[in-house]
PDB file of all heavy atoms in Angstrom:
ATOM      1  N   TYR A 175      14.578  20.196   4.054  1.00 98.00           N
ATOM      2  CA  TYR A 175      13.466  19.242   4.167  1.00 98.00           C
ATOM      3  C   TYR A 175      13.972  17.862   4.574  1.00 98.00           C
ATOM      4  O   TYR A 175      13.303  17.125   5.292  1.00 98.00           O
ATOM      5  CB  TYR A 175      12.729  19.162   2.821  1.00 98.00           C
ATOM      6  CG  TYR A 175      11.453  18.353   2.843  1.00 98.00           C
ATOM      7  CD1 TYR A 175      10.216  18.975   2.986  1.00 98.00           C
ATOM      8  CD2 TYR A 175      11.472  16.965   2.714  1.00 98.00           C
ATOM      9  CE1 TYR A 175       9.036  18.241   2.999  1.00 98.00           C
ATOM     10  CE2 TYR A 175      10.297  16.218   2.738  1.00 98.00           C
ATOM     11  CZ  TYR A 175       9.086  16.863   2.880  1.00 98.00           C
ATOM     12  OH  TYR A 175       7.925  16.136   2.900  1.00 98.00           O
ATOM     13  N   TYR A 177      17.565  17.303   5.770  1.00 98.00           N
ATOM     14  CA  TYR A 177      18.598  17.240   6.805  1.00 98.00           C
ATOM     15  C   TYR A 177      18.173  17.814   8.153  1.00 98.00           C
ATOM     16  O   TYR A 177      18.742  17.433   9.167  1.00 98.00           O
ATOM     17  CB  TYR A 177      19.897  17.866   6.284  1.00 98.00           C
ATOM     18  CG  TYR A 177      20.537  16.979   5.233  1.00 98.00           C
ATOM     19  CD1 TYR A 177      20.647  17.377   3.907  1.00 98.00           C
ATOM     20  CD2 TYR A 177      20.994  15.715   5.573  1.00 98.00           C
ATOM     21  CE1 TYR A 177      21.210  16.546   2.944  1.00 98.00           C
ATOM     22  CE2 TYR A 177      21.552  14.876   4.616  1.00 98.00           C
ATOM     23  CZ  TYR A 177      21.656  15.300   3.304  1.00 98.00           C
ATOM     24  OH  TYR A 177      22.206  14.457   2.365  1.00 98.00           O
ATOM     25  N   HIS A 227      10.289   5.123  10.913  1.00 98.00           N
ATOM     26  CA  HIS A 227       9.218   4.546  10.094  1.00 98.00           C
ATOM     27  C   HIS A 227       8.184   3.810  10.955  1.00 98.00           C
ATOM     28  O   HIS A 227       6.970   3.929  10.715  1.00 98.00           O
ATOM     29  CB  HIS A 227       9.808   3.620   9.027  1.00 98.00           C
ATOM     30  CG  HIS A 227      10.368   4.359   7.847  1.00 98.00           C
ATOM     31  ND1 HIS A 227      10.820   3.736   6.707  1.00 98.00           N
ATOM     32  CD2 HIS A 227      10.549   5.691   7.621  1.00 98.00           C
ATOM     33  CE1 HIS A 227      11.255   4.647   5.835  1.00 98.00           C
ATOM     34  NE2 HIS A 227      11.107   5.831   6.382  1.00 98.00           N
ATOM     35  N   GLU A 249       4.085  13.141   7.773  1.00 98.00           N
ATOM     36  CA  GLU A 249       4.463  11.774   7.402  1.00 98.00           C
ATOM     37  C   GLU A 249       5.462  11.731   6.253  1.00 98.00           C
ATOM     38  O   GLU A 249       6.400  10.927   6.261  1.00 98.00           O
ATOM     39  CB  GLU A 249       3.218  10.964   7.029  1.00 98.00           C
ATOM     40  CG  GLU A 249       2.341  10.727   8.238  1.00 98.00           C
ATOM     41  CD  GLU A 249       1.258   9.685   8.010  1.00 98.00           C
ATOM     42  OE1 GLU A 249       1.267   9.021   6.952  1.00 98.00           O
ATOM     43  OE2 GLU A 249       0.405   9.537   8.898  1.00 98.00           O
ATOM     44  N   ASP A 257      14.426   7.141   5.198  1.00 98.00           N
ATOM     45  CA  ASP A 257      15.175   6.649   4.028  1.00 98.00           C
ATOM     46  C   ASP A 257      16.586   7.220   4.015  1.00 98.00           C
ATOM     47  O   ASP A 257      17.562   6.493   3.759  1.00 98.00           O
ATOM     48  CB  ASP A 257      14.461   7.052   2.729  1.00 98.00           C
ATOM     49  CG  ASP A 257      13.108   6.371   2.567  1.00 98.00           C
ATOM     50  OD1 ASP A 257      12.825   5.402   3.292  1.00 98.00           O
ATOM     51  OD2 ASP A 257      12.331   6.827   1.700  1.00 98.00           O
ATOM     52  N   SER A 268      29.927   0.727   4.934  1.00 98.00           N
ATOM     53  CA  SER A 268      30.843   0.412   3.831  1.00 98.00           C
ATOM     54  C   SER A 268      32.225   1.041   4.039  1.00 98.00           C
ATOM     55  O   SER A 268      33.135   0.827   3.248  1.00 98.00           O
ATOM     56  CB  SER A 268      30.242   0.837   2.486  1.00 98.00           C
ATOM     57  OG  SER A 268      30.319   2.233   2.315  1.00 98.00           O
ATOM     58  N   ARG A 279      26.930  -7.311   4.191  1.00 98.00           N
ATOM     59  CA  ARG A 279      25.887  -8.329   3.978  1.00 98.00           C
ATOM     60  C   ARG A 279      25.130  -8.617   5.266  1.00 98.00           C
ATOM     61  O   ARG A 279      23.895  -8.728   5.267  1.00 98.00           O
ATOM     62  CB  ARG A 279      26.492  -9.599   3.385  1.00 98.00           C
ATOM     63  CG  ARG A 279      26.799  -9.414   1.913  1.00 98.00           C
ATOM     64  CD  ARG A 279      27.194 -10.703   1.207  1.00 98.00           C
ATOM     65  NE  ARG A 279      27.695 -10.363  -0.125  1.00 98.00           N
ATOM     66  CZ  ARG A 279      28.774 -10.866  -0.694  1.00 98.00           C
ATOM     67  NH1 ARG A 279      29.500 -11.773  -0.061  1.00 98.00           N
ATOM     68  NH2 ARG A 279      29.147 -10.471  -1.898  1.00 98.00           N
ATOM     69  N   GLU A 290      10.759  -7.850   8.221  1.00 98.00           N
ATOM     70  CA  GLU A 290       9.837  -8.980   8.395  1.00 98.00           C
ATOM     71  C   GLU A 290       9.205  -8.930   9.792  1.00 98.00           C
ATOM     72  O   GLU A 290       8.007  -9.168   9.955  1.00 98.00           O
ATOM     73  CB  GLU A 290      10.567 -10.320   8.198  1.00 98.00           C
ATOM     74  CG  GLU A 290      10.960 -10.580   6.754  1.00 98.00           C
ATOM     75  CD  GLU A 290      11.491 -12.007   6.533  1.00 98.00           C
ATOM     76  OE1 GLU A 290      11.503 -12.810   7.497  1.00 98.00           O
ATOM     77  OE2 GLU A 290      11.910 -12.313   5.396  1.00 98.00           O
TER      78      GLU A 290
ATOM     79  N   TYR B  69       5.561  -9.372   2.048  1.00 98.00           N
ATOM     80  CA  TYR B  69       5.924  -9.904   0.730  1.00 98.00           C
ATOM     81  C   TYR B  69       4.826  -9.826  -0.315  1.00 98.00           C
ATOM     82  O   TYR B  69       5.120  -9.812  -1.508  1.00 98.00           O
ATOM     83  CB  TYR B  69       6.483 -11.324   0.873  1.00 98.00           C
ATOM     84  CG  TYR B  69       7.859 -11.289   1.528  1.00 98.00           C
ATOM     85  CD1 TYR B  69       8.082 -11.827   2.786  1.00 98.00           C
ATOM     86  CD2 TYR B  69       8.919 -10.664   0.886  1.00 98.00           C
ATOM     87  CE1 TYR B  69       9.338 -11.758   3.393  1.00 98.00           C
ATOM     88  CE2 TYR B  69      10.172 -10.584   1.477  1.00 98.00           C
ATOM     89  CZ  TYR B  69      10.374 -11.138   2.729  1.00 98.00           C
ATOM     90  OH  TYR B  69      11.610 -11.053   3.314  1.00 98.00           O
ATOM     91  N   HIS B 119       7.652   4.989  -2.082  1.00 98.00           N
ATOM     92  CA  HIS B 119       7.632   6.023  -1.045  1.00 98.00           C
ATOM     93  C   HIS B 119       7.198   7.382  -1.612  1.00 98.00           C
ATOM     94  O   HIS B 119       6.412   8.098  -0.980  1.00 98.00           O
ATOM     95  CB  HIS B 119       9.008   6.126  -0.370  1.00 98.00           C
ATOM     96  CG  HIS B 119       9.244   5.045   0.654  1.00 98.00           C
ATOM     97  ND1 HIS B 119      10.333   5.010   1.488  1.00 98.00           N
ATOM     98  CD2 HIS B 119       8.503   3.952   0.985  1.00 98.00           C
ATOM     99  CE1 HIS B 119      10.254   3.944   2.281  1.00 98.00           C
ATOM    100  NE2 HIS B 119       9.162   3.283   1.983  1.00 98.00           N
ATOM    101  N   GLU B 141      -0.876   3.190   3.989  1.00 98.00           N
ATOM    102  CA  GLU B 141       0.441   3.831   4.015  1.00 98.00           C
ATOM    103  C   GLU B 141       1.483   3.012   4.757  1.00 98.00           C
ATOM    104  O   GLU B 141       2.635   2.933   4.338  1.00 98.00           O
ATOM    105  CB  GLU B 141       0.316   5.223   4.645  1.00 98.00           C
ATOM    106  CG  GLU B 141      -0.495   6.160   3.777  1.00 98.00           C
ATOM    107  CD  GLU B 141      -0.381   7.614   4.203  1.00 98.00           C
ATOM    108  OE1 GLU B 141       0.452   7.937   5.069  1.00 98.00           O
ATOM    109  OE2 GLU B 141      -1.127   8.433   3.647  1.00 98.00           O
ATOM    110  N   ASP B 149      10.770  -0.109   2.184  1.00 98.00           N
ATOM    111  CA  ASP B 149      11.973  -0.432   2.959  1.00 98.00           C
ATOM    112  C   ASP B 149      12.503  -1.827   2.586  1.00 98.00           C
ATOM    113  O   ASP B 149      13.704  -2.023   2.412  1.00 98.00           O
ATOM    114  CB  ASP B 149      11.659  -0.404   4.465  1.00 98.00           C
ATOM    115  CG  ASP B 149      11.316   0.993   4.968  1.00 98.00           C
ATOM    116  OD1 ASP B 149      11.574   1.971   4.244  1.00 98.00           O
ATOM    117  OD2 ASP B 149      10.796   1.097   6.100  1.00 98.00           O
ATOM    118  N   SER B 160      25.253  -6.349  -3.524  1.00 98.00           N
ATOM    119  CA  SER B 160      26.422  -6.916  -2.837  1.00 98.00           C
ATOM    120  C   SER B 160      26.800  -8.290  -3.399  1.00 98.00           C
ATOM    121  O   SER B 160      27.796  -8.881  -2.982  1.00 98.00           O
ATOM    122  CB  SER B 160      26.182  -6.985  -1.327  1.00 98.00           C
ATOM    123  OG  SER B 160      25.330  -8.046  -0.994  1.00 98.00           O
ATOM    124  N   ARG B 171      29.134   1.307  -2.949  1.00 98.00           N
ATOM    125  CA  ARG B 171      29.238   2.720  -2.543  1.00 98.00           C
ATOM    126  C   ARG B 171      28.535   3.635  -3.542  1.00 98.00           C
ATOM    127  O   ARG B 171      27.819   4.562  -3.151  1.00 98.00           O
ATOM    128  CB  ARG B 171      30.699   3.125  -2.367  1.00 98.00           C
ATOM    129  CG  ARG B 171      31.235   2.601  -1.051  1.00 98.00           C
ATOM    130  CD  ARG B 171      32.630   3.126  -0.726  1.00 98.00           C
ATOM    131  NE  ARG B 171      33.152   2.365   0.411  1.00 98.00           N
ATOM    132  CZ  ARG B 171      34.391   1.864   0.503  1.00 98.00           C
ATOM    133  NH1 ARG B 171      35.265   2.074  -0.470  1.00 98.00           N
ATOM    134  NH2 ARG B 171      34.756   1.183   1.566  1.00 98.00           N
ATOM    135  N   GLU B 182      17.826  13.461  -1.506  1.00 98.00           N
ATOM    136  CA  GLU B 182      17.956  14.927  -1.528  1.00 98.00           C
ATOM    137  C   GLU B 182      17.066  15.525  -2.615  1.00 98.00           C
ATOM    138  O   GLU B 182      16.402  16.548  -2.407  1.00 98.00           O
ATOM    139  CB  GLU B 182      19.419  15.339  -1.763  1.00 98.00           C
ATOM    140  CG  GLU B 182      20.324  15.068  -0.568  1.00 98.00           C
ATOM    141  CD  GLU B 182      21.730  15.657  -0.738  1.00 98.00           C
ATOM    142  OE1 GLU B 182      21.983  16.345  -1.755  1.00 98.00           O
ATOM    143  OE2 GLU B 182      22.578  15.411   0.144  1.00 98.00           O
ATOM    144  N   GLU B 189      10.131  20.378  -0.887  1.00 97.00           N
ATOM    145  CA  GLU B 189      10.394  21.721  -0.359  1.00 97.00           C
ATOM    146  C   GLU B 189       9.893  22.799  -1.325  1.00 97.00           C
ATOM    147  O   GLU B 189       9.449  23.861  -0.911  1.00 97.00           O
ATOM    148  CB  GLU B 189      11.905  21.855  -0.148  1.00 97.00           C
ATOM    149  CG  GLU B 189      12.340  22.997   0.725  1.00 97.00           C
ATOM    150  CD  GLU B 189      13.815  22.872   1.115  1.00 97.00           C
ATOM    151  OE1 GLU B 189      14.212  21.839   1.684  1.00 97.00           O
ATOM    152  OE2 GLU B 189      14.583  23.807   0.817  1.00 97.00           O
TER     153      GLU B 189
END
Side-chain angles (χ1 to χ4, degrees):
Chain A
Y175 188 97
Y177 289 114
H227 281 187
E249 292 193 8
D257 294 346
S268 76
R279 284 189 190 136
E290 289 189 3
Chain B
Y69 289 114
H119 281 187
E141 293 193 9
D149 294 346
S160 76
R171 283 188 191 135
E182 289 188 4
E189 196 168 304

